[in-house]
Amino acid sequence: MTEKTTPLWEVFIRSRTGMAHRHCGSVHAGDAEMALQAARDVYTRRGEGLSIWVVPSAEIIASDPAQKDEMFEPTASKIYRHPTFYEIPEEVGNM
Amino acid sequence: MYTQALNARDTEAGAVEDADRVAAFQARVDAEEKIEPNDWMPEGYRKTLVRQISQHAHSEIVGMLPEGNWISRAPTLKRKAALLAKVQDEGGHGLYLYSAAETLGVSREELTEQLLSGKAKYSSIFNYPTLTWADIGAIGWLVDGAAIMNQIPLCRCSFGPYSRAMIRVCKEESFHQRQGYELLLEMVRSSEEQKEMVQDALNRWWWPSLMMFGPSDTDSQHSAQSMAWKIKRFTNDELRQKFVDATVPQAHYLGLTIPDDKLSFNEATGHWEFGEIDWDEFMRVIAGNGPCNRERLAARKKAHADGAWVREAAIAYSRKRADRREAARHAAE
């Protein structure tokens, strides 16, 4: 048998105009068009979305959890990046 | 998002696991943090989840057969459309669950192979036949009802992809349960003959539904570790008791009798007490010798074998189109 495995695709759906696409799951399909159709059938049958993106799973590169300290730590120590670091006199009002 | 490359099995699999890593993992679980596909996890945790999630997925797929049996014979167009939608949902649940299992580094093809070879199990309930239309209602009410009892705690399971799949599944299962119960309600109100049909369905599905919660706590192999890892949140017997407490009043509302002469309400504990499950029957069904085990597996095998050329055609076509796109790009350059 010459059958090869069917590729995996990640599915992103935007629920309303103005919202971002959100990852909602994955499907197996031979090509992009069939992946779109499968995603439509599986994930949008109850009005969940207005737009679908499908991406081959193999194309996605994820951050490594082992490096999460180096990756994400700096924000907390750099308080000048946060709006609460800057004091505005009360008389000035909301800013 | 779940890249497969990073999810390849740990190269040290089989080696003794680092006690510090195991302790750090347990601490995260105890702190109710979600474990994600790229995080380190003990090999036992990974294996348990692959087993549980894939068998859950297989159950959704095999579960399409007993109900699908009545699609062409549904008594009204409304019921037929609802049944079609429901079976379509079950197929979708299978897909979400296979996706969740794949984040653990197995392929859907491997899992399907395990189902077809009989190596992997699926829920014992789907080895019972659907003999009348009332069985379709009983499956919605009891089988989907039992599934919800099992699955709601799984929405808080420690493994992120599984818990997220369960949230979607539970929404749809509760809709299935309601439509099943309403179907039975309409039948018991219609005629004596239809009511008898419903009682007969309850008689045949009650005990198999209780068996869906698995062996009793004293005999369950996986319970203690699964509880510690927060894959399971309640024991089999706890969930079974919740199901009985919720379901008995629903049966009484339909004017039905539960086929258990030991059933009685305990005022002191507030629980319904029920008779002993026929564990010999349960073991027989699990071992492959229930009423429909062979038929169910044969149907899945036939669909897989007969569909092989269609899958090959789809892959060949996508390869051909990719080659053409490539050639067109070269020509344009």
Side-chain angles (χ1 to χ4, degrees):
Chain A
M1 192 141 67
T2 56
E3 190 188 337
K4 294 238 306 209
T5 56
T6 319
L8 187 66
W9 304 73
E10 299 302 326
V11 181
F12 299 81
I13 291 178
R14 179 163 59 71
S15 56
R16 283 199 307 277
T17 309
M19 302 274 280
H21 284 76
R22 281 185 61 176
H23 182 250
C24 68
S26 47
V27 292
H28 279 271
D31 62 23
E33 209 173 308
M34 284 193 284
L36 264 183
Q37 283 173 5
R40 194 259 332 254
D41 288 346
V42 176
Y43 293 109
T44 68
R45 287 191 300 115
R46 295 193 173 86
E48 290 93 337
L50 297 174
S51 166
I52 304 178
W53 291 346
V54 290
V55 183
S57 298
E59 298 291 321
I60 290 173
I61 294 131
S63 63
D64 182 350
Q67 292 177 340
K68 79 170 182 281
D69 292 346
E70 304 93 291
M71 260 324 239
F72 305 111
E73 187 273 336
T75 42
S77 65
K78 293 173 180 157
I79 48 175
Y80 49 85
R81 285 184 176 173
H82 300 282
T84 47
F85 181 72
Y86 305 97
E87 271 181 40
I88 301 289
E90 244 174 60
E91 301 80 45
V92 176
N94 265 343
M95 189 176 273
Chain B
M1 56 207 75
Y2 313 136
T3 57
Q4 283 173 304
L6 274 169
N7 298 335
R9 282 193 193 81
D10 215 306
T11 44
E12 311 126 280
V16 179
E17 280 168 337
D18 185 342
D20 290 345
R21 274 184 138 179
V22 174
F25 174 84
Q26 189 62 49
R28 289 189 61 196
V29 169
D30 291 343
E32 299 284 330
E33 270 183 51
K34 289 277 183 255
I35 306 302
E36 296 297 335
N38 294 346
D39 292 332
W40 184 86
M41 58 188 84
E43 209 40 41
Y45 180 82
R46 185 185 298 277
K47 277 198 190 128
T48 300
L49 277 171
V50 168
R51 193 193 64 246
Q52 185 175 333
I53 302 174
S54 67
Q55 296 188 356
H56 195 161
H58 298 331
S59 302
E60 301 284 355
I61 300 301
V62 176
M64 295 164 84
L65 296 168
E67 294 180 284
N69 185 34
W70 279 88
I71 289 175
S72 63
R73 292 177 284 179
T76 68
L77 199 51
K78 173 186 157 186
R79 295 296 175 193
K80 185 175 185 154
L83 183 56
L84 273 168
K86 181 182 174 190
V87 172
Q88 201 179 10
D89 285 347
E90 309 290 8
H93 296 174
L95 296 187
Y96 314 152
L97 288 160
Y98 283 125
S99 301
E102 286 190 287
T103 67
L104 292 160
V106 285
S107 71
R108 190 175 71 177
E109 281 86 357
E110 279 175 72
L111 300 175
T112 303
E113 177 49 39
Q114 290 174 2
L115 170 67
L116 299 181
S117 68
K119 204 178 142 217
K121 292 186 171 64
Y122 53 87
S123 179
S124 56
I125 195 81
F126 300 120
N127 292 309
Y128 291 86
T130 40
L131 303 178
T132 69
W133 172 248
D135 288 15
I136 298 306
I139 288 179
W141 170 40
L142 297 172
V143 175
D144 292 276
I148 294 168
M149 280 295 168
N150 258 322
Q151 290 168 7
I152 288 202
L154 288 174
C155 296
R156 294 189 294 125
C157 161
S158 60
F159 187 57
Y162 194 24
S163 71
R164 289 190 287 272
M166 281 299 101
I167 292 169
R168 273 193 83 91
V169 170
C170 283
K171 275 187 207 155
E172 291 175 354
E173 295 289 7
S174 88
F175 149 75
H176 297 167
Q177 188 188 22
R178 288 162 56 158
Q179 66 98 13
Y181 191 76
E182 192 229 32
L183 186 165
L184 296 180
L185 194 57
E186 192 171 300
M187 286 185 79
V188 297
R189 284 173 177 170
S190 292
S191 70
E192 203 43 49
E193 204 184 351
Q194 291 197 36
K195 189 175 173 186
E196 275 168 29
M197 200 187 270
V198 175
Q199 179 66 55
D200 168 65
L202 175 62
N203 294 348
R204 285 178 293 107
W205 290 92
W206 175 253
W207 291 104
S209 301
L210 295 194
M211 293 177 197
M212 284 177 72
F213 295 93
S216 143
D217 292 348
T218 46
D219 298 321
S220 177
Q221 311 169 31
H222 308 295
S223 256
Q225 184 61 74
S226 289
M227 299 277 283
W229 278 332
K230 305 206 179 196
I231 295 173
K232 273 181 94 129
R233 294 291 181 147
F234 297 97
T235 70
N236 294 350
D237 286 338
E238 283 168 352
L239 290 169
R240 192 168 6 246
Q241 183 66 55
K242 275 176 186 250
F243 176 74
V244 171
D245 290 341
T247 313
V248 169
Q250 293 165 355
H252 291 162
Y253 186 82
L254 292 172
L256 303 177
T257 316
I258 302 275
D260 178 359
D261 50 23
K262 299 235 166 56
L263 187 84
S264 67
F265 188 71
N266 184 329
E267 294 282 353
T269 61
H271 292 299
W272 284 91
E273 287 172 357
F274 52 96
E276 188 66 19
I277 287 171
D278 182 347
W279 294 114
D280 289 339
E281 176 180 328
F282 177 70
M283 294 316 289
R284 248 191 340 268
V285 176
I286 290 283
N289 298 314
C292 298
N293 297 56
R294 285 172 189 77
E295 190 184 327
R296 299 290 185 242
L297 216 48
R300 288 311 313 150
K301 280 185 179 163
K302 184 174 189 306
H304 192 73
D306 291 356
W309 71 271
V310 181
R311 294 193 297 276
E312 283 185 39
I315 299 283
Y317 180 65
S318 88
R319 207 178 298 125
K320 190 172 85 179
R321 293 219 304 177
D323 289 349
R324 271 196 198 146
R325 264 199 310 276
E326 191 68 10
R329 221 179 52 212
H330 278 299
E333 275 165 9

